[in-house]
Amino acid sequence: MTIAREGSREIIIATLICAVIEFGVIALALTVSLWFLTACVPIWTLWVFVLLFFRDPSRTIPDQPGILVSPADGKVTEVSRLDHYDGVQGRALRISIFLSVFDVHINRVPCAGRVRKIEYKPGKFLDARHPDCGSLNESNTIEMDPGEGLPGPIIVRQVAGLIARRIICNIKEQDSVTRGQRLGLIKFGSRTDLIVPDTGGLEAAVQVNDYVKGGETVLFRVKASGRSEVNRAAAVGAS
């Protein structure tokens, strides 16, 4: 199992805390009662949980043109049309994904392209399912110019949740990125949004309550009427 290096600090701290408590439990077991050894189970269960939180599984990235893959693992909590969204001309489409503490927290790039702008905003730490968390919580917004003939801009928004206290983004402005590439993570519970223009022929490929996998599940696809143009653009880009 691969572990994200961004979790090294938390894993080391959890290991030290669990080890100290474990030594105390063993001392009590040897001097008072062996029944104290049963406390070892929840202690190391917590350690395993911290380890698994930072797991970084490999993913099979779809290669067909005209799609955007999920930027995160989790449950779809919103599929909506917006009259306006900063950075998008005209109406926009947004899909929001809630990441529980049991989900993989690695964020991934939805499509190939170039990073136009990254904007970090400090804020509150409301529960990621709270209706105001998108506007009030700590967040990091990544705006991309997509390749593959897709309409742009494509916006990925990392939003911290109730437990999360640190957003990590490993890409920079002007970076060229590929579909499914790891872009960072949010520590301990969060939300990730994917926002696209509503005028470019894209349609949602998921519904509310669907469970999605980062880099693997298709969130948006070009409507059938526009696929020939996307296929043509992708062929030109590959030549």
Side-chain angles (χ1 to χ4, degrees):
M1 178 179 64
T2 303
I3 301 298
R5 58 182 174 80
E6 292 88 350
S8 299
R9 184 185 67 173
E10 285 76 11
I11 292 172
I12 291 172
I13 292 173
T15 300
L16 293 174
I17 292 175
C18 288
V20 169
I21 297 175
E22 182 81 354
F23 284 130
V25 168
I26 292 173
L28 287 172
L30 294 176
T31 57
V32 181
S33 172
L34 292 178
W35 283 105
F36 278 101
L37 291 176
T38 58
C40 294
V41 176
I43 292 171
W44 290 110
T45 297
L46 176 62
W47 181 82
V48 170
F49 167 77
V50 173
L51 191 69
L52 289 177
F53 179 87
F54 293 104
R55 65 195 184 278
D56 183 10
S58 60
R59 292 288 161 81
T60 302
I61 312 300
D63 59 2
Q64 65 263 40
I67 63 170
L68 286 89
V69 297
S70 178
D73 286 43
K75 183 179 179 181
V76 176
T77 57
E78 178 186 344
V79 179
S80 62
R81 276 187 166 84
L82 308 173
D83 290 331
H84 172 74
Y85 194 88
D86 288 345
V88 178
Q89 291 186 350
R91 293 168 63 88
L93 297 169
R94 178 173 64 195
I95 293 179
S96 298
I97 302 163
F98 170 69
L99 294 74
S100 78
V101 292
F102 299 105
D103 289 315
V104 172
H105 271 59
I106 301 294
N107 289 147
R108 292 178 179 265
V109 176
C111 64
R114 183 176 295 275
V115 179
R116 178 195 298 179
K117 179 182 178 182
I118 298 177
E119 182 177 6
Y120 170 79
K121 186 188 80 171
K124 297 183 178 180
F125 297 98
L126 301 174
D127 187 286
R129 291 162 293 189
H130 192 285
D132 294 329
C133 79
S135 58
L136 298 180
N137 279 20
E138 175 189 15
S139 64
N140 189 58
T141 302
I142 302 160
E143 190 174 312
M144 294 174 45
D145 292 316
E148 306 171 356
L150 292 167
I154 304 298
I155 297 174
V156 177
R157 193 156 184 261
Q158 301 171 286
V159 183
L162 178 65
I163 304 174
R165 287 295 185 273
R166 189 180 178 197
I167 294 175
I168 296 175
C169 180
N170 293 325
I171 58 176
K172 306 182 298 297
E173 293 182 359
Q174 303 307 315
D175 277 357
S176 293
V177 292
T178 58
R179 182 192 296 171
Q181 176 182 331
R182 295 167 177 82
L183 67 85
L185 60 82
I186 315 171
K187 296 186 176 182
F188 298 112
S190 52
R191 164 180 156 178
T192 303
D193 295 341
L194 179 58
I195 301 100
V196 302
D198 190 22
T199 56
L202 291 171
E203 61 183 357
V206 295
Q207 299 177 339
V208 171
N209 294 325
D210 283 354
Y211 185 83
V212 297
K213 288 187 175 182
E216 196 167 287
T217 304
V218 176
L219 287 199
F220 286 105
R221 60 167 54 95
V222 174
K223 296 176 184 178
S225 58
R227 285 177 192 166
S228 59
E229 295 182 9
V230 171
N231 290 334
R232 193 160 47 247
V236 170
S239 62

